[in-house]
Amino acid sequence: MGGKQRALVVLAVTALAAGLTSPAFGAGDAHSPAPPTTATGSGASVVEWNRELITILADPKAQPATVQPTRSFALLQAAEYDAVASITRSGPAYLFSTRAPQGARADAAADQAAHDVLVALYPAERPGVDQLLSGQLSAIPGGPDKQAGMTVGAAVARRLISMRAHDGSSAKPPPFRAGDSAGDYRPTPPDFPAPAFTNWGSVQPFVLTSGRQFRPAAPPAVSSAAYSTALNEVKSLGSKTSTARTAEQTAAAKFWAAAPVWNVWNQIAQNLATSTNASLENTVKVFARLDLSLADTAIALYDAKYAYRVWRPVTAIRLGGTHYSPRIVGDPHWTPLLTTAPDPSYPSAHAALSQAAATTLTGFYGARHHLAVTSKGITRTYAGFQDAATEAWLSRIWSGQHTSIDNHSGQQLGTRVADFVAGRL
């Protein structure tokens, strides 16, 4: 796997093939009875491909900084899902299915689809990806059934990559011009970086009709009592030198910032699949629904962020002395516990993405499911997915990144996107 270091978070929870069809997503897709197939086994290989992507993305040079990583997860998992569904007919296709001969190996299809997507996205990583494919395929008996499965997987990957080639993800972001009125987002200290993913809200979603489909309502004005209350909470709890924040809250804030939040939720799904010895069909469905939800939530949240362009708490607190609100006492030296992310405040990405993930996984595993999550030697435990998601968004208050207004909006957005995806896959 290229010798790259595995991701920081380790979870301790137990030109297309002939006959390609393109039904609407989950609608009007009449499925013929599944033909007899060779046993497809567990979803262990799906977990390995997901791990491989996390390993690739650990290299900051793996892809342009303007391309949101959730897109890659969605492409990987959608390809594996449609490759398997094309053979097993165990559920509706995400986008399309291709006819497969009787006995075709669904596991070989998933492996080939995953390999081809990663090679298309990260051609420089081909040696490690080829090695992983060789290892996965070596465990499958040779013969025409194996080859037929590989052919299906290759066809699905080609089709999916082709369909997403012009989704707007490669567009050059326009120059960002910061506003100077109260509430306007502007780059944040200490380094004042250019804002990230400024045009991601215009990328074509995977399942939603557009990035604005579930755009939240405008936030309260920064001169309002509601905003002042929320900001003063961050000022107290999120300061680097806060005496109101507990040691436990500080630990949680640092924990949820230690790795990309989409990595954390994918690794939760990895270990759930492993601990339950989930079938191939179930595993590809869980990962497809999870990562399609995360990808579309990312598009939706960036649509909202740059529609409203709300300044970050550090800006609002430092400029409190400009009297945009009589309820805010400014502190030009206020510093958050953690460095502020380079994008507008409303809505919170951690809240939206974590809520989308928790909603998705709850739909498969139920509300109460013990989780023990370890990151950089620290283990945190949760009684359910919602407990983990709630701590993820609260951590952004404790780290000085977001207000409760940002978090509430993000939670609503993540839930709506996840429910919409679940209704179609």
Side-chain angles (χ1 to χ4, degrees):
M1 300 184 186
K4 293 186 177 65
Q5 182 179 3
R6 287 291 184 188
L8 296 175
V9 179
V10 179
L11 300 173
V13 289
T14 316
L16 309 174
L20 196 64
T21 58
S22 300
F25 184 81
D29 188 14
H31 298 284
S32 58
T37 62
T38 307
T40 56
S42 76
S45 65
V46 179
V47 170
E48 285 303 309
W49 286 110
N50 190 270
R51 287 174 177 160
E52 179 72 1
L53 176 55
I54 291 176
T55 298
I56 290 171
L57 290 171
D59 180 357
K61 298 178 181 179
Q63 67 182 23
T66 56
V67 177
Q68 229 287 329
T70 52
R71 176 181 184 269
S72 298
F73 284 97
L75 286 169
L76 172 67
Q77 305 307 159
E80 288 189 272
Y81 175 83
D82 271 357
V84 171
S86 291
I87 294 173
T88 65
R89 307 290 177 179
S90 57
Y94 157 58
L95 282 180
F96 48 79
S97 61
T98 185
R99 294 188 184 94
Q102 181 175 324
R105 293 284 306 218
D107 43 6
D111 288 332
Q112 191 68 53
H115 167 274
D116 291 3
V117 165
L118 293 185
V119 167
L121 294 175
Y122 309 103
E125 302 296 331
R126 180 158 199 154
V129 176
D130 283 352
Q131 182 179 358
L132 179 56
L133 178 64
S134 178
Q136 297 292 352
L137 292 179
S138 68
I140 302 173
D145 293 344
K146 177 178 178 178
Q147 187 59 51
M150 294 167 62
T151 299
V152 169
V156 167
R158 284 197 304 272
R159 175 63 171 165
L160 185 57
I161 289 294
S162 176
M163 291 181 69
R164 297 297 304 188
H166 304 290
D167 62 5
S169 60
S170 61
K172 182 179 180 180
F176 180 83
R177 293 179 175 83
D180 56 9
S181 298
D184 288 347
Y185 175 75
R186 59 210 72 181
T188 51
D191 298 326
F192 302 93
F197 305 118
T198 54
N199 67 333
W200 202 254
S202 62
V203 170
Q204 176 189 342
F206 285 83
V207 183
L208 301 185
T209 58
S210 74
R212 68 176 67 91
Q213 182 174 347
F214 295 124
R215 183 185 290 176
V222 296
S223 59
S224 68
Y227 182 77
S228 299
T229 298
L231 185 65
N232 280 325
E233 180 184 35
V234 181
K235 183 181 178 184
S236 173
L237 292 174
S239 168
K240 189 170 185 178
T241 58
S242 174
T243 57
R245 186 181 59 246
T246 67
E248 177 72 5
Q249 290 168 339
T250 299
K254 293 179 178 179
F255 176 87
W256 283 100
V261 70
W262 49 86
N263 284 10
V264 175
W265 287 102
N266 269 278
Q267 290 174 301
I268 287 174
Q270 289 173 13
N271 285 306
L272 286 166
T274 301
S275 65
T276 60
N277 194 29
S279 68
L280 176 64
E281 292 91 336
N282 184 70
T283 304
V284 293
K285 187 170 186 177
V286 170
F287 276 102
R289 192 182 293 177
L290 171 65
D291 284 308
L292 290 169
S293 294
L294 289 175
D296 275 7
T297 298
I299 293 170
L301 71 89
Y302 279 109
D303 165 78
K305 278 180 180 288
Y306 289 103
Y308 298 117
R309 300 188 175 204
V310 177
W311 63 14
R312 285 282 186 156
V314 63
T315 306
I317 294 168
R318 290 190 177 190
L319 293 180
T322 60
H323 307 298
Y324 65 86
S325 172
R327 305 172 187 85
I328 302 296
V329 176
D331 180 353
H333 304 294
W334 188 89
T335 301
L337 173 65
L338 302 177
T339 302
T340 300
D343 53 37
S345 198
Y346 180 87
S348 162
H350 264 63
L353 293 167
S354 292
Q355 191 63 42
T359 300
T360 298
L361 295 177
T362 296
F364 284 102
Y365 296 101
R368 311 307 292 174
H369 197 103
H370 177 76
L371 304 174
V373 187
T374 300
S375 176
K376 287 189 173 181
I378 299 173
T379 298
R380 302 189 67 80
T381 60
Y382 309 95
F385 302 110
Q386 187 58 58
D387 289 351
T390 298
E391 185 179 85
W393 67 257
L394 284 173
S395 77
R396 306 310 278 171
I397 295 175
W398 302 330
S399 62
Q401 305 291 299
H402 284 289
T403 67
S404 60
I405 293 170
D406 303 332
N407 287 331
H408 181 66
S409 174
Q411 282 187 294
Q412 290 186 323
L413 180 60
T415 299
R416 296 183 75 181
V417 173
D419 284 345
F420 187 83
V421 173
R424 285 152 181 80
L425 184 61

